[in-house]
Amino acid sequence: MSWIYSPVTNCFLRLTGYTYTNLARLFMRLFVGVMLLQFGIRHLVNYNIMVTDFPTVMNMSPSTSLVLMIIIELACSLLIMTGFLTRLSTIPPIAAMCAAEYYILHDMVPNLPIYGLDSTDPGYLPIMFIGIYIYILIAGPGKISLDYFISLYIVNQRGKDEEEELEEV
């Protein structure tokens, strides 16, 4: 029975039993924020080139669609990375990625081959973003976020205890 207290079992328990959910949520927010932020910066820098070929979304002009996309990419990325209004900030990128996926799938992009299991086409990128944003929407920002610190301030102003008010954060 001495194997129960061995360093290997202690290591195993630490690797499987402890969770770092708040750190994981921070990583996911920073990762997806940086990924979408670089798209926004690229769109902003190449605005004059992209405005002529950018698709129209919901009957808006290409320039309006591109400006709206840049605002979503930059503003929502920064809000998500800082953890401020996190759940609300995931909704515009989800809508933008749904529009991008619709645009890609409905043959509006010329010379885009049909999807296959081995495909590396750009159509998978919006779906990946949608999945990550839905995860953040469901999981929330975690304790390493401005949302959490603001909620602590509000709870303290009400004179309540953090444990009872923010039980599932």
Side-chain angles (χ1 to χ4, degrees):
M1 274 311 213
S2 65
W3 64 272
I4 293 176
Y5 301 108
S6 73
V8 173
T9 56
N10 287 340
C11 182
F12 179 78
L13 289 175
R14 290 211 181 269
L15 292 175
T16 59
Y18 290 86
T19 60
Y20 303 99
T21 58
N22 293 306
L23 193 59
R25 289 186 222 179
L26 173 66
F27 171 78
M28 188 63 74
R29 285 193 348 258
L30 292 176
F31 173 76
V32 77
V34 168
M35 292 302 293
L36 196 64
L37 189 66
Q38 59 97 15
F39 280 109
I41 292 169
R42 199 176 316 157
H43 285 155
L44 188 61
V45 169
N46 297 317
Y47 178 81
N48 292 332
I49 299 166
M50 295 187 73
V51 73
T52 57
D53 295 331
F54 202 77
T56 59
V57 179
M58 297 183 343
N59 294 328
M60 293 185 283
S61 69
S63 61
T64 306
S65 298
L66 182 57
V67 167
L68 184 62
M69 189 64 170
I70 290 170
I71 290 170
I72 288 171
E73 289 168 343
L74 296 178
C76 292
S77 292
L78 292 172
L79 289 171
I80 290 168
M81 288 168 62
T82 58
F84 182 63
L85 301 173
T86 307
R87 286 186 165 137
L88 187 63
S89 298
T90 60
I91 296 170
I94 289 172
M97 291 301 121
C98 287
E101 186 63 25
Y102 175 83
Y103 176 75
I104 290 170
L105 287 179
H106 283 81
D107 294 329
M108 295 180 187
V109 177
N111 302 324
L112 186 67
I114 303 224
Y115 287 134
L117 291 177
D118 61 343
S119 179
T120 58
D121 297 329
Y124 290 110
L125 196 58
I127 292 173
M128 182 197 67
F129 273 109
I130 291 169
I132 293 172
Y133 285 123
I134 289 174
Y135 168 79
I136 293 171
L137 184 68
I138 293 168
K143 289 185 176 181
I144 310 171
S145 66
L146 285 177
D147 287 343
Y148 180 72
F149 294 122
I150 292 169
S151 64
L152 282 179
Y153 176 76
I154 293 170
V155 168
N156 287 333
Q157 289 296 315
R158 291 182 178 173
K160 294 195 175 185
D161 185 25
E162 173 192 355
E163 293 287 326
E164 35 181 84
E165 194 73 26
L166 302 174
E167 189 173 308
E168 293 187 20
V169 173

